[in-house]
Structures are given as C-alpha cells and as structure tokens.
Amino acid sequence: MEYIYTLVILIALGVVLASSFNLIIGYAGLVSIAHPVFYAIGAYVSALLARDHGVPVPVAMILGALAAMAASIAVALPSLRVSGDYLLIASIGFQLGLLEAIKNVSFTGGAGGLTNIPPFLIQTAGREAYVALVVGVAVLTVLLTRSIAHGPYGRALSAMRDDELAFAALGRNAVAMKVAVFALGSGLAGLAGALYAHYFRFVTPEQFELLQSAAILTMVVVGGIRTTWGPVVGAILLQALPQAITFLDLPVALLGPLQGLLFTGLVLVFMFWRPQGLVAAGEFWRPSREAPDVGRP
Amino acid sequence: MSAVLEIRGLDKRFGGIVVADAIDLTLSAGRVVGLIGPNGAGKTSLFNLVSGIFPADAGTITLDGERIDRLKTHRRAARGLSRTWQNLRLFPSLSVLDNLMVGPRHYPGEKLWRLAFDRGGVRRREAETRRRALDVLERTGLAAVAKTRAADLTFGQQKLVGVARALMNESRCLLLDEPMAGVEGHAYETMQRVVRDVAASGVAVCVVEHNVAFIRDLCDEGVFMFAGKVLARGPVADLIADPRLTELYFGT
Ligand SMILES: Nc1ncnc2c1ncn2[C@@H]1O[C@H](COP(=O)(O)OP(=O)(O)O)[C@@H](O)[C@H]1O
Ligand SMILES: [Mg+2]
C-alpha cells in the first residue's frame, strides 16, 4: 500500500511540475528548462525552515513556494528585459550554480543531501491524508492552468506568442506578463518541492539536475504542449515508466542512464511520429465557456 | 485646431541610411494627414519611431502635450496612440473578435493577480470590451465574420480587421500604414467611411498611402517625404500637381 501511495504522490507532483512548466514553456512560450531549480528551492527552503528554525511545516511550505517565486523573478526580470533569448542561459546558469552551491555548503547537507526533514500530516492524520493533500494541489494546479489558458490572460498570451510587436503596440506589456507567468509557474514548482521534501524527508541536490529538466520537458512535450490534459498524461506516463523499469531488477548504476535514454528516446520518437504530443492542441485559441452569442447571422 | 501629436527635430539613421532627417510634423484633432512619398522614403520608419518600435537618435514627440519619446511601445499605446501595419500583423491564432478583444487601451485580464482577486471586475470589463468590439465590427462591416479566424478572410477584410483592432484603443492619434494596399470593392468604401468617421470623432489621423484617389478624397492635408525628409506640406492637390515631387515619387 505504501508503495502505491508513493507512486500516486510522485505522479501528482509530476502533474504539478508538468502543468506549471506548460504555463511557462507552452502558453507563455518562454524558453527555459530550469524548472527543477525552483522545485529544489521550494524543497530546501521549506525543509530547512521547518527543521532548523522551528517554522510550522505548512507555513514553511508556503514560504518555500514564495522563495521559489522570488528567485524566479530575480532570474527572469533582468534577462527578459534584455531579450527573451537570455532567459534560457540565465536560468540554466542559475540552476547549475545554485545546485553547485548547495553541494558545497554544510547547512544544506552538501552533496550527500538534506536528511531528517520533519514529516507532516502523516503521523497525525495518516499517509492517506498526505496523498489527498498532494493530489488536491495537483488538481488545483490543473484547474488553475486551464482557467488562465482559456481566459482573458490566455487570449493575451496567445496574441503575444503570435506577434509580440503588434501586441506591444496595442498597449500590452509583454515583459510583465512573461515575468508573471514565469513566477507563478516557478512558485508552483516550489510548492511541489516542499510537498516532496516533507513526504520523503530526504532530498539531494542531484535529483534537481538536468535529468529532472529532461523529465519535465518530456512530460509536457510527449503529453501535449499547450493543452490542459497533455501534461497530466505525460506525468503519469513518465512517472510510471521509470517505476516499471525498476521492476526489471537492473543494477543501480544502469538505472539513471537508462532513464535518461528513455526520456531522450521518447522525445525523439514523438518529434517524428506525433510532434503535437498525445493530446494535441488546436492552433486556435478558445475561451473556456463559449461566451454569449455574438450574433452570427 | 488643437495639436495632438507633435514631432520636433526627429532624427534617425541606420548605419548610412537616413530614415528621419530633422522631421517636424504636427497632427491635429479631427484632421486627416496623408503621408506620401516613394518606397524607402521613411514613412513606415516614422510610424515606428512614433510608436517606439525603435528609438530616435534625436528629437521629441509629444502626445497631448506630454513627452512620449522615452516611453516603451506599450506605454505610448496606453497614452492613446494606435497604429496599423503595412504587413497586417494580425494574430493568426485568434478569431477576428478576439483580435479586437486584445486591443483596448487597458486590457481587463492583463494582470494575473486580478484574475485571482477581482474575478467579477475582470468579467464585467470583458463583457464591456466585447460589446465595444462587436460595435466596432459592426461599423467596419465585419460583424458577420466575428468568429472566423483572420487568416481565412479576404485581404481587404484583413486590412479592415487591422484598422478595427487599432480602433479598440479609442486613441487620440491613429497612424494607418497603407490601409488601402490590396483593398478593392466593398472594403474600399468601408475603409474610407471608417477613416472619415474616426477623424470626425476628433481623432488625429495620419495615413500613409499610394492610392492617390484615396488620399485626395480623404485627407485635409498632404505631407511629402523623401529620403527621411519632409519636403513639402499642403493641400493634396497641390502636392500631386508639383512636377518636382512627381519626379521624385516616380523616380524618373
Ligand atoms: N530596422 C531597420 N534597420 C535598417 N534599415 C531600416 C530599418 N527600417 C527601415 N530601414 C530602412 O529605412 C528606409 C526607409 O524604409 P521605410 O520606412 O520602410 O520606407 P517607406 O515606408 O517610406 O517605404 C529603407 O531604406 C529601409 O531599408
Ligand atoms: Mg512603408
């Protein structure tokens, strides 16, 4: 049973990560693959605040998410002001740099990882309660992404992706919108990190490296970029597959590279066979509810 | 006759190419100015300078008495400046109606926090924007194609969508870059009527156009540009009759 719970939590966290990343790379069209670093910030900040500073876990989790959000603004604002192309470089630099720093200072547990993270909810309300919490956050994330994507904000993002210059000439502030989406998406990743940390009670810097970037990107691309359900399908697939591989009883040294190959392979297969992903997005932006009739004769 | 847009001493060069050379130009409320000149004269560049697509090397631009030349493009639009594009630049992934819905000076759904904390307000203003967009579509003869994607329309209709989208700003100053190029028949008359109505409502309008009949019928005044310079200004008929300008225009 515990194994099933763990798998459900991993899938739900995958859904939060993939859906929030879909907002950034899909709907806002921002080129960045550094999503895991904000996942890491949420995990480390929440874990350290709760473990070493006596902050109650729920408060620490929220602060973890806010820290991820603040960090993402600090990365995105200067680079997006210059040009969209700098975001990729700035964010990867930030990801590599911060993880390197975590490995080399002692209060984070260094490369060996952060241990003894205080648990939450499990001792008092049981494992089921924690599963429900994480699944609830995943459901809310999906609903939130959907309402943004198909509301007035999503319409504006669609126009911005089509033609940023024409968009600006109408009075729309493209940089502000990009930073806002990047911050929201990164904050959600931070929340996912905090939820991870207080369940597994152990995090290491290496789990937030490029392999994780590839995994999240694969979830979005294989599932279907710029769709509500694509990242959900992608997350289920990509979290379940590695679990299936572990059943093969292969040596640990092989598992990591094998997963990496799997992600790359999947992306390549999909690029040729079904570039739109499992769930295909329409080219056309649609409002959430068919709004009142426009009186088509 | 009150000045809305005032351009003074505007200079811009790209390497060796001078696109604006000490340009002075005033656009007044309710008047339509026709900007004419051969290809490469710098007409589109002037619009780009005014709307802030690229910065000028020198000079000032004021809108209703306030400097806008240091503002970013979107801030100038928010002050009441709107424009169309020679090459359309519609949003292909949006319907005609949604193209217009992105156009108001203040967009209800532009701030994420509003979507969370002011849902009612956003919804109200969306409904209001929608009514205005439908009204503009009615005036531009596009009501029947509101839900069509812009790319599926005739070229003339697409040009009208571009103008309709610019009208959503309810701007003080409207810059139209070759609105008639490729437009014929029904759309031609509609375009003329729309531009005339906009000016009649007190907007300062500037039209770049090669269609002489259109300019003559519509414009209160003409401005002739060549090699980044304003060479002449006056009644359109006089400019057309000036042999020196005709020679420059046709490049004989
Ligand atoms: N962004 C730019 N960079 C370099 N040269 C430009 C740029 N924009 C316009 N030009 C040049 O400026 C000149 C004027 O162009 P333009 O303003 O489009 O003329 P018009 O609209 O009157 O036909 C042309 O020689 C064009 O190549
Ligand atoms: Mg031009």
Tab-separated table of all heavy atoms in Angstrom, chain A residues 219-263:
chain	number	residue	atom	x	y	z
A	219	MET	N	7.580	15.212	-20.170
A	219	MET	CA	6.169	15.101	-19.780
A	219	MET	C	5.303	16.051	-20.593
A	219	MET	O	4.242	15.677	-21.090
A	219	MET	CB	5.998	15.474	-18.296
A	219	MET	CG	6.548	14.460	-17.325
A	219	MET	SD	6.417	15.119	-15.646
A	219	MET	CE	7.505	13.990	-14.788
A	220	VAL	N	5.782	17.287	-20.727
A	220	VAL	CA	4.988	18.303	-21.416
A	220	VAL	C	4.921	18.017	-22.924
A	220	VAL	O	3.850	18.046	-23.531
A	220	VAL	CB	5.559	19.720	-21.155
A	220	VAL	CG1	4.814	20.764	-21.976
A	220	VAL	CG2	5.462	20.049	-19.675
A	221	VAL	N	6.075	17.702	-23.498
A	221	VAL	CA	6.127	17.524	-24.956
A	221	VAL	C	5.410	16.248	-25.388
A	221	VAL	O	4.616	16.244	-26.328
A	221	VAL	CB	7.597	17.523	-25.438
A	221	VAL	CG1	7.676	17.132	-26.908
A	221	VAL	CG2	8.215	18.891	-25.218
A	222	VAL	N	5.672	15.151	-24.669
A	222	VAL	CA	5.049	13.884	-25.032
A	222	VAL	C	3.548	13.921	-24.719
A	222	VAL	O	2.719	13.430	-25.478
A	222	VAL	CB	5.748	12.711	-24.298
A	222	VAL	CG1	4.928	11.433	-24.396
A	222	VAL	CG2	7.131	12.500	-24.883
A	223	GLY	N	3.194	14.535	-23.608
A	223	GLY	CA	1.776	14.605	-23.243
A	223	GLY	C	1.005	15.519	-24.172
A	223	GLY	O	-0.102	15.202	-24.602
A	224	GLY	N	1.594	16.649	-24.515
A	224	GLY	CA	0.904	17.599	-25.399
A	224	GLY	C	1.030	19.004	-24.853
A	224	GLY	O	0.325	19.394	-23.932
A	225	ILE	N	1.967	19.749	-25.456
A	225	ILE	CA	2.224	21.115	-25.004
A	225	ILE	C	0.990	21.984	-25.282
A	225	ILE	O	0.250	21.742	-26.227
A	225	ILE	CB	3.490	21.657	-25.699
A	225	ILE	CG1	3.997	22.930	-25.031
A	225	ILE	CG2	3.248	21.881	-27.183
A	225	ILE	CD1	5.415	23.307	-25.418
A	226	ARG	N	0.753	22.971	-24.424
A	226	ARG	CA	-0.346	23.919	-24.584
A	226	ARG	C	-1.725	23.251	-24.561
A	226	ARG	O	-2.631	23.646	-25.288
A	226	ARG	CB	-0.170	24.701	-25.891
A	226	ARG	CG	-0.017	26.195	-25.631
A	226	ARG	CD	0.373	26.921	-26.879
A	226	ARG	NE	1.795	26.813	-27.131
A	226	ARG	CZ	2.352	26.602	-28.303
A	226	ARG	NH1	1.623	26.475	-29.371
A	226	ARG	NH2	3.661	26.545	-28.395
A	227	THR	N	-1.822	22.185	-23.767
A	227	THR	CA	-3.141	21.585	-23.539
A	227	THR	C	-3.291	21.402	-22.038
A	227	THR	O	-2.303	21.389	-21.303
A	227	THR	CB	-3.269	20.195	-24.202
A	227	THR	OG1	-2.333	19.301	-23.579
A	227	THR	CG2	-3.003	20.259	-25.689
A	228	THR	N	-4.532	21.283	-21.598
A	228	THR	CA	-4.776	21.079	-20.167
A	228	THR	C	-4.360	19.675	-19.742
A	228	THR	O	-3.710	19.493	-18.709
A	228	THR	CB	-6.271	21.271	-19.859
A	228	THR	OG1	-6.642	22.587	-20.285
A	228	THR	CG2	-6.544	21.118	-18.378
A	229	TRP	N	-4.716	18.677	-20.549
A	229	TRP	CA	-4.536	17.297	-20.119
A	229	TRP	C	-3.227	16.683	-20.568
A	229	TRP	O	-2.810	15.657	-20.024
A	229	TRP	CB	-5.740	16.459	-20.574
A	229	TRP	CG	-7.003	16.994	-19.965
A	229	TRP	CD1	-8.012	17.662	-20.608
A	229	TRP	CD2	-7.347	16.995	-18.575
A	229	TRP	NE1	-8.959	18.070	-19.705
A	229	TRP	CE2	-8.582	17.669	-18.444
A	229	TRP	CE3	-6.732	16.491	-17.424
A	229	TRP	CZ2	-9.218	17.864	-17.223
A	229	TRP	CZ3	-7.359	16.676	-16.201
A	229	TRP	CH2	-8.587	17.348	-16.104
A	230	GLY	N	-2.583	17.281	-21.539
A	230	GLY	CA	-1.313	16.743	-22.023
A	230	GLY	C	-0.297	16.514	-20.913
A	230	GLY	O	0.209	15.403	-20.735
A	231	PRO	N	0.007	17.561	-20.119
A	231	PRO	CA	0.989	17.392	-19.047
A	231	PRO	C	0.560	16.347	-18.010
A	231	PRO	O	1.412	15.683	-17.413
A	231	PRO	CB	1.053	18.780	-18.404
A	231	PRO	CG	0.584	19.709	-19.464
A	231	PRO	CD	-0.425	18.954	-20.269
A	232	VAL	N	-0.738	16.186	-17.822
A	232	VAL	CA	-1.233	15.179	-16.874
A	232	VAL	C	-0.909	13.787	-17.404
A	232	VAL	O	-0.319	12.950	-16.704
A	232	VAL	CB	-2.755	15.335	-16.657
A	232	VAL	CG1	-3.280	14.258	-15.714
A	232	VAL	CG2	-3.080	16.730	-16.130
A	233	VAL	N	-1.265	13.560	-18.669
A	233	VAL	CA	-0.971	12.272	-19.309
A	233	VAL	C	0.538	12.032	-19.304
A	233	VAL	O	1.014	10.945	-18.954
A	233	VAL	CB	-1.507	12.263	-20.762
A	233	VAL	CG1	-1.072	11.012	-21.492
A	233	VAL	CG2	-3.034	12.383	-20.767
A	234	GLY	N	1.290	13.065	-19.671
A	234	GLY	CA	2.746	12.951	-19.723
A	234	GLY	C	3.329	12.607	-18.363
A	234	GLY	O	4.237	11.776	-18.252
A	235	ALA	N	2.817	13.243	-17.310
A	235	ALA	CA	3.338	12.996	-15.968
A	235	ALA	C	3.051	11.570	-15.526
A	235	ALA	O	3.916	10.891	-14.957
A	235	ALA	CB	2.733	13.994	-14.978
A	236	ILE	N	1.855	11.090	-15.803
A	236	ILE	CA	1.512	9.715	-15.419
A	236	ILE	C	2.443	8.734	-16.127
A	236	ILE	O	3.054	7.867	-15.514
A	236	ILE	CB	0.032	9.405	-15.770
A	236	ILE	CG1	-0.891	10.267	-14.907
A	236	ILE	CG2	-0.272	7.928	-15.571
A	236	ILE	CD1	-2.368	10.204	-15.283
A	237	LEU	N	2.564	8.948	-17.436
A	237	LEU	CA	3.413	8.064	-18.235
A	237	LEU	C	4.861	8.077	-17.754
A	237	LEU	O	5.478	7.040	-17.512
A	237	LEU	CB	3.345	8.553	-19.689
A	237	LEU	CG	3.762	7.572	-20.762
A	237	LEU	CD1	2.732	6.457	-20.849
A	237	LEU	CD2	3.868	8.291	-22.105
A	238	LEU	N	5.393	9.274	-17.588
A	238	LEU	CA	6.812	9.410	-17.274
A	238	LEU	C	7.151	9.037	-15.835
A	238	LEU	O	8.294	8.725	-15.525
A	238	LEU	CB	7.272	10.849	-17.549
A	238	LEU	CG	7.843	11.152	-18.920
A	238	LEU	CD1	9.269	10.650	-19.013
A	238	LEU	CD2	7.024	10.504	-20.036
A	239	GLN	N	6.185	9.109	-14.931
A	239	GLN	CA	6.466	8.688	-13.559
A	239	GLN	C	6.266	7.188	-13.421
A	239	GLN	O	6.951	6.539	-12.643
A	239	GLN	CB	5.564	9.420	-12.545
A	239	GLN	CG	5.792	10.917	-12.446
A	239	GLN	CD	7.102	11.313	-11.771
A	239	GLN	OE1	8.116	10.657	-11.943
A	239	GLN	NE2	7.071	12.399	-11.020
A	240	ALA	N	5.324	6.653	-14.173
A	240	ALA	CA	5.045	5.227	-14.049
A	240	ALA	C	6.118	4.386	-14.742
A	240	ALA	O	6.532	3.350	-14.233
A	240	ALA	CB	3.667	4.900	-14.615
A	241	LEU	N	6.599	4.871	-15.914
A	241	LEU	CA	7.579	4.090	-16.676
A	241	LEU	C	8.863	3.780	-15.900
A	241	LEU	O	9.270	2.628	-15.834
A	241	LEU	CB	7.928	4.815	-17.980
A	241	LEU	CG	7.109	4.413	-19.203
A	241	LEU	CD1	7.631	5.146	-20.433
A	241	LEU	CD2	7.193	2.910	-19.439
A	242	PRO	N	9.480	4.796	-15.287
A	242	PRO	CA	10.706	4.508	-14.532
A	242	PRO	C	10.450	3.512	-13.407
A	242	PRO	O	11.305	2.697	-13.089
A	242	PRO	CB	11.118	5.866	-13.974
A	242	PRO	CG	10.455	6.861	-14.843
A	242	PRO	CD	9.182	6.217	-15.306
A	243	GLN	N	9.252	3.583	-12.807
A	243	GLN	CA	8.909	2.625	-11.763
A	243	GLN	C	8.866	1.226	-12.356
A	243	GLN	O	9.346	0.270	-11.754
A	243	GLN	CB	7.542	2.965	-11.153
A	243	GLN	CG	7.478	4.326	-10.493
A	243	GLN	CD	8.489	4.485	-9.380
A	243	GLN	OE1	8.660	3.587	-8.565
A	243	GLN	NE2	9.176	5.610	-9.359
A	244	ALA	N	8.295	1.135	-13.564
A	244	ALA	CA	8.229	-0.161	-14.232
A	244	ALA	C	9.638	-0.689	-14.493
A	244	ALA	O	9.903	-1.879	-14.342
A	244	ALA	CB	7.443	-0.037	-15.533
A	245	ILE	N	10.530	0.213	-14.870
A	245	ILE	CA	11.907	-0.206	-15.150
A	245	ILE	C	12.575	-0.769	-13.896
A	245	ILE	O	13.307	-1.757	-13.958
A	245	ILE	CB	12.735	0.974	-15.692
A	245	ILE	CG1	12.190	1.387	-17.054
A	245	ILE	CG2	14.192	0.575	-15.832
A	245	ILE	CD1	12.952	2.544	-17.653
A	246	THR	N	12.278	-0.149	-12.745
A	246	THR	CA	12.932	-0.627	-11.519
A	246	THR	C	12.542	-2.072	-11.217
A	246	THR	O	13.290	-2.794	-10.578
A	246	THR	CB	12.586	0.264	-10.307
A	246	THR	OG1	11.168	0.402	-10.241
A	246	THR	CG2	13.225	1.628	-10.395
A	247	PHE	N	11.381	-2.487	-11.732
A	247	PHE	CA	10.963	-3.877	-11.531
A	247	PHE	C	11.853	-4.857	-12.290
A	247	PHE	O	11.872	-6.035	-12.006
A	247	PHE	CB	9.505	-4.067	-11.979
A	247	PHE	CG	8.516	-3.672	-10.930
A	247	PHE	CD1	7.617	-2.639	-11.153
A	247	PHE	CD2	8.494	-4.331	-9.693
A	247	PHE	CE1	6.714	-2.270	-10.180
A	247	PHE	CE2	7.586	-3.954	-8.724
A	247	PHE	CZ	6.688	-2.923	-8.952
A	248	LEU	N	12.560	-4.334	-13.289
A	248	LEU	CA	13.412	-5.208	-14.101
A	248	LEU	C	14.632	-5.686	-13.330
A	248	LEU	O	15.382	-6.518	-13.808
A	248	LEU	CB	13.873	-4.484	-15.371
A	248	LEU	CG	12.769	-4.106	-16.362
A	248	LEU	CD1	13.347	-3.363	-17.557
A	248	LEU	CD2	12.035	-5.365	-16.823
A	249	ASP	N	14.836	-5.117	-12.118
A	249	ASP	CA	15.923	-5.593	-11.271
A	249	ASP	C	17.302	-5.359	-11.872
A	249	ASP	O	18.183	-6.193	-11.792
A	249	ASP	CB	15.732	-7.103	-11.003
A	249	ASP	CG	15.759	-7.347	-9.500
A	249	ASP	OD1	15.862	-6.350	-8.751
A	249	ASP	OD2	15.674	-8.512	-9.083
A	250	LEU	N	17.465	-4.207	-12.514
A	250	LEU	CA	18.764	-3.888	-13.100
A	250	LEU	C	19.665	-3.270	-12.040
A	250	LEU	O	19.184	-2.732	-11.040
A	250	LEU	CB	18.578	-2.894	-14.250
A	250	LEU	CG	17.842	-3.436	-15.465
A	250	LEU	CD1	17.397	-2.305	-16.372
A	250	LEU	CD2	18.736	-4.412	-16.220
A	251	PRO	N	20.979	-3.346	-12.256
A	251	PRO	CA	21.891	-2.694	-11.307
A	251	PRO	C	21.641	-1.177	-11.268
A	251	PRO	O	21.319	-0.577	-12.290
A	251	PRO	CB	23.283	-3.000	-11.859
A	251	PRO	CG	23.081	-3.627	-13.184
A	251	PRO	CD	21.671	-4.084	-13.288
A	252	VAL	N	21.789	-0.606	-10.084
A	252	VAL	CA	21.504	0.820	-9.886
A	252	VAL	C	22.297	1.700	-10.850
A	252	VAL	O	21.794	2.696	-11.357
A	252	VAL	CB	21.802	1.224	-8.427
A	252	VAL	CG1	21.499	2.707	-8.215
A	252	VAL	CG2	20.996	0.369	-7.470
A	253	ALA	N	23.530	1.285	-11.133
A	253	ALA	CA	24.391	2.097	-11.996
A	253	ALA	C	23.800	2.239	-13.395
A	253	ALA	O	24.094	3.182	-14.113
A	253	ALA	CB	25.786	1.472	-12.076
A	254	LEU	N	22.978	1.289	-13.773
A	254	LEU	CA	22.380	1.324	-15.096
A	254	LEU	C	21.095	2.149	-15.141
A	254	LEU	O	20.708	2.676	-16.172
A	254	LEU	CB	22.053	-0.100	-15.553
A	254	LEU	CG	23.058	-0.788	-16.470
A	254	LEU	CD1	22.569	-2.185	-16.828
A	254	LEU	CD2	23.272	0.034	-17.738
A	255	LEU	N	20.409	2.228	-13.977
A	255	LEU	CA	19.080	2.822	-13.948
A	255	LEU	C	19.044	4.272	-14.412
A	255	LEU	O	18.224	4.650	-15.241
A	255	LEU	CB	18.481	2.721	-12.543
A	255	LEU	CG	17.735	1.425	-12.248
A	255	LEU	CD1	17.203	1.423	-10.826
A	255	LEU	CD2	16.604	1.202	-13.235
A	256	GLY	N	19.958	5.075	-13.861
A	256	GLY	CA	19.983	6.507	-14.192
A	256	GLY	C	20.141	6.733	-15.683
A	256	GLY	O	19.280	7.333	-16.325
A	257	PRO	N	21.247	6.200	-16.252
A	257	PRO	CA	21.450	6.373	-17.702
A	257	PRO	C	20.282	5.838	-18.514
A	257	PRO	O	19.879	6.441	-19.505
A	257	PRO	CB	22.710	5.547	-17.983
A	257	PRO	CG	23.386	5.412	-16.680
A	257	PRO	CD	22.349	5.500	-15.604
A	258	LEU	N	19.713	4.717	-18.074
A	258	LEU	CA	18.605	4.126	-18.803
A	258	LEU	C	17.410	5.074	-18.844
A	258	LEU	O	16.759	5.253	-19.871
A	258	LEU	CB	18.202	2.804	-18.145
A	258	LEU	CG	17.317	1.900	-19.001
A	258	LEU	CD1	18.016	1.507	-20.287
A	258	LEU	CD2	16.901	0.650	-18.217
A	259	GLN	N	17.131	5.717	-17.695
A	259	GLN	CA	16.022	6.676	-17.650
A	259	GLN	C	16.290	7.851	-18.579
A	259	GLN	O	15.400	8.300	-19.299
A	259	GLN	CB	15.804	7.186	-16.226
A	259	GLN	CG	15.207	6.124	-15.323
A	259	GLN	CD	14.844	6.671	-13.960
A	259	GLN	OE1	14.920	7.873	-13.736
A	259	GLN	NE2	14.462	5.796	-13.057
A	260	GLY	N	17.531	8.336	-18.553
A	260	GLY	CA	17.910	9.448	-19.430
A	260	GLY	C	17.665	9.083	-20.882
A	260	GLY	O	17.080	9.846	-21.646
A	261	LEU	N	18.106	7.866	-21.247
A	261	LEU	CA	17.908	7.386	-22.618
A	261	LEU	C	16.435	7.314	-22.959
A	261	LEU	O	16.007	7.662	-24.057
A	261	LEU	CB	18.531	5.993	-22.786
A	261	LEU	CG	20.014	5.952	-23.101
A	261	LEU	CD1	20.497	4.509	-23.205
A	261	LEU	CD2	20.277	6.678	-24.431
A	262	LEU	N	15.668	6.862	-21.975
A	262	LEU	CA	14.230	6.718	-22.175
A	262	LEU	C	13.588	8.060	-22.507
A	262	LEU	O	12.807	8.188	-23.450
A	262	LEU	CB	13.612	6.145	-20.904
A	262	LEU	CG	12.161	5.718	-20.990
A	262	LEU	CD1	12.042	4.375	-21.687
A	262	LEU	CD2	11.555	5.627	-19.596
A	263	PHE	N	13.934	9.096	-21.726
A	263	PHE	CA	13.361	10.425	-21.947
A	263	PHE	C	13.748	10.945	-23.329
A	263	PHE	O	12.909	11.376	-24.108
A	263	PHE	CB	13.845	11.426	-20.887
A	263	PHE	CG	13.421	11.057	-19.493
A	263	PHE	CD1	14.208	11.399	-18.399
A	263	PHE	CD2	12.230	10.388	-19.269
A	263	PHE	CE1	13.816	11.065	-17.114
A	263	PHE	CE2	11.831	10.043	-17.993
A	263	PHE	CZ	12.634	10.387	-16.912
